[in-house]
Amino acid sequence: MSTRLSALAASVALLTGLAAPVASADAPPIVNLATNPGFEVPSPDLADWGSVPGWNCTGGPAEAAVTTTAPHAGTSALTATPANAESTGECAQTVAVQPDTTYTASAWVRGKFVYLGATGTGKDVAPAWTQTTGGGWQRLSTRFTTGPNARTIRLYVHGWYQQGPFSVDDVRVDGPAPTPAVAAGSVPTNDKVVFFTVDDGWQRTPEAEQFIADHRLPITAFPLPMPAAADPAFFRRVTAVPGSSVQDHSVSHADLSKLPLDRQQVEICDARDAMTRLFGTAPTFFRPPYFAWNADTLQAAANCGIRTVLTADADFSWGATNIWHPGLLQPGDVVLMHWTDTLAGDLQRALAAADAAGLKPAGLVDHLR
């Protein structure tokens, strides 16, 4: 143990008190990009979802929990208690960033040998750490500049082996505010194409899967994390046709227009992370549940690295045939459907409507950037 501690202490410098980058008059405002930075956002009402919204803690609820005992500010803080000698109690989150841009990460911590750092920046970043906070709160801070290909970084906090519990509060990743996502109900294109999108994921039928395979339909799936995690192989099969993809539909299917920005960001970012873990590609489109969104939704989506908040202009779900503009389907139309026991028939009607308009189904990832 002493070798571990002395080697690490000798190789890492303690970085504290760095100021946040300052924006020029013409630059975007500097904002905190961290998700649930003060651990104040309540967990979605889902019994088997994670215990700390916005954060992925390696030990899960057995190690990490939101507590209300003596937070640094507000009403809550994160306390992690490594469960065994091989655990550091790490908690991390993915933060969307811009290439070649400077950010400052900081957090208030309490405990022994607590670390704050970032990976995936495109450059080596030394973590900030402290040997002990002496029972009180101490601010750790480190600054980094992203490489030319960086789009996300992994922000982490952790303790050290056999050093007991530690607490974290008021995390920040200060950097330029991203441009809000774009809201769209269709895709601007002159190509004779239409886009089939399928939401939720609770009812997965072999008939729908077979219809997609037989007709080689490019499908853009917007599953919720829970049904996606229950049967990821199904979603891999139904999105196997080139142009297909799995995108973001929130964690709990809440009406986001009724939630503040920080809670919307948790819904979108946590679902993004779940889809990325399950399918290996980060979503770039977000489908708001009930098509309910506001300006905060566009900013929250952008903070999660999402470029487009997508609704639709036709609905063929549950036996319906609704086109929300005069006439037949038009090039660039987005068709809404759901993973239900009617989906095979819904797909058949949607395909017939596309054929009648002289259109072919296409993948959103090939046409919407």
Side-chain angles (χ1 to χ4, degrees):
M1 177 54 59
S2 60
T3 301
R4 271 180 171 172
L5 295 178
S6 60
L8 196 56
S11 62
V12 182
L14 175 61
L15 302 173
T16 58
L18 293 181
V22 178
S24 69
D26 298 327
I30 299 300
V31 299
N32 183 9
L33 298 171
T35 300
N36 194 15
F39 306 97
E40 306 287 340
V41 175
S43 295
D45 188 19
L46 302 171
D48 56 351
W49 195 249
S51 61
V52 185
W55 294 84
N56 179 31
C57 299
T58 55
E63 288 192 348
V66 174
T67 64
T68 57
T69 303
H72 174 258
T75 61
S76 302
L78 172 72
T79 295
T81 304
N84 56 60
E86 299 305 315
S87 174
T88 63
E90 183 181 80
C91 290
Q93 65 173 256
T94 299
V95 180
V97 295
Q98 301 172 34
D100 300 314
T101 303
T102 298
Y103 297 85
T104 298
S106 65
W108 288 87
V109 303
R110 183 174 59 199
K112 296 180 179 179
F113 289 94
V114 188
Y115 296 77
L116 167 76
T119 60
T121 64
K123 302 177 181 180
D124 292 335
V125 179
W129 68 283
T130 181
Q131 183 172 348
T132 179
T133 66
W137 288 95
Q138 178 180 328
R139 182 175 181 263
L140 300 181
S141 182
T142 184
R143 184 178 295 179
F144 59 88
T145 299
T146 54
N149 300 313
R151 297 293 176 183
T152 62
I153 59 99
R154 181 177 179 272
L155 177 74
Y156 65 83
V157 292
H158 64 72
W160 199 243
Y161 305 97
Q162 300 182 32
Q163 295 301 302
F166 65 93
S167 297
V168 185
D169 203 359
D170 298 320
V171 181
R172 300 190 65 87
V173 179
D174 289 309
T179 302
V182 174
S186 61
V187 178
T189 181
N190 293 322
D191 296 340
K192 292 184 177 299
V193 294
V194 67
F195 304 96
F196 290 175
T197 66
V198 191
D199 288 8
D200 296 351
W202 295 110
Q203 293 175 283
R204 304 174 293 274
T205 67
E207 293 82 8
E209 180 181 346
Q210 191 64 53
F211 190 90
I212 291 168
D214 289 347
H215 294 82
R216 293 197 53 76
L217 293 179
I219 296 294
T220 303
F222 290 90
L224 298 167
M226 288 178 67
D231 195 358
F234 173 86
F235 290 100
R236 292 189 190 100
R237 294 194 301 270
V238 296
T239 57
V241 176
S244 299
S245 64
V246 178
Q247 301 292 335
D248 191 325
H249 193 36
S250 83
V251 170
S252 67
H253 208 276
D255 180 343
L256 298 194
S257 67
K258 297 180 179 179
L259 300 179
L261 191 152
D262 61 341
R263 292 184 62 180
Q264 293 196 43
Q265 186 165 326
V266 166
E267 288 278 347
I268 299 170
C269 285
D270 272 5
R272 171 208 61 191
D273 292 346
M275 296 303 105
T276 305
R277 285 194 299 270
L278 288 169
F279 304 109
T281 302
T284 54
F285 315 132
F286 173 65
R287 166 68 51 76
Y290 315 110
F291 289 0
W293 60 274
N294 56 23
D296 282 347
T297 312
L298 302 182
Q299 189 61 63
N303 292 353
C304 297
I306 299 292
R307 296 193 295 265
T308 305
V309 173
L310 186 71
T311 57
D313 41 23
D315 182 5
F316 280 65
S317 304
W318 293 292
T321 304
N322 297 318
I323 300 174
W324 296 320
H325 57 66
L328 303 176
L329 289 174
Q330 298 174 0
D333 276 353
V334 176
V335 178
L336 170 68
M337 287 171 275
H338 289 78
W339 299 103
T340 67
D341 56 4
T342 68
L343 181 56
D346 298 339
L347 286 165
Q348 188 168 27
R349 289 193 327 284
L351 186 58
D355 287 342
L359 306 173
K360 297 291 184 183
L364 278 172
V365 290
D366 294 333
H367 287 79
L368 192 58
R369 301 295 179 187

